[in-house]
Amino acid sequence: VQVRGESLPIIALPEIFNLHPNVTSVHDGILVILEAEGRKAALFVDDLVGQHQVVIKSLETNYRRVKGVSGATIMGDGKVALILDTAALVMASQQEMV
């Protein structure tokens, strides 16, 4: 995708995590611009739900290493939410472009 004259790779989470998305077209979803170590990518999401302050628990310590996920947290309603490793996703998207 072109953003301010710069070509950015699009990270599609459904492809990475083998999910069935609610939105399949970038024209109907939202692109969130991420930056890690001076590199940028656009994360394609269905919707932005909100902002939460959470305590993150390591998945690797308590379960195993999961590509693209840095940890997990328990939300106020008791559901488990995974925390994306955005830096790893950006770096992986850059490697795919090469």
Side-chain angles (χ1 to χ4, degrees):
V1 66
Q2 287 291 116
V3 178
R4 296 185 181 137
E6 189 175 0
S7 292
L8 303 180
I10 296 176
I11 301 169
L13 293 179
E15 292 175 13
I16 295 170
F17 295 112
N18 196 25
L19 303 170
H20 299 287
N22 295 328
V23 177
T24 56
S25 170
V26 292
H27 301 291
D28 297 327
I30 299 169
L31 292 174
V32 178
I33 307 303
L34 305 175
E35 183 173 3
E37 298 182 25
R39 298 178 180 185
K40 295 180 184 177
L43 178 65
F44 176 57
V45 298
D46 294 354
D47 195 10
L48 295 177
V49 177
Q51 180 177 337
H52 302 276
Q53 292 185 12
V54 296
V55 176
I56 301 173
K57 298 289 185 178
S58 168
L59 272 186
E60 193 169 355
T61 302
N62 297 299
Y63 177 57
R64 65 178 173 87
R65 184 170 178 82
V66 178
K67 179 183 170 187
V69 177
S70 63
T73 190
I74 299 175
M75 303 300 289
D77 61 2
K79 293 181 181 176
V80 174
L82 299 177
I83 310 298
L84 295 177
D85 184 349
T86 56
L89 293 172
V90 170
M91 300 309 285
S93 71
Q94 295 292 325
Q95 290 174 354
E96 289 179 12
M97 288 182 60
V98 177

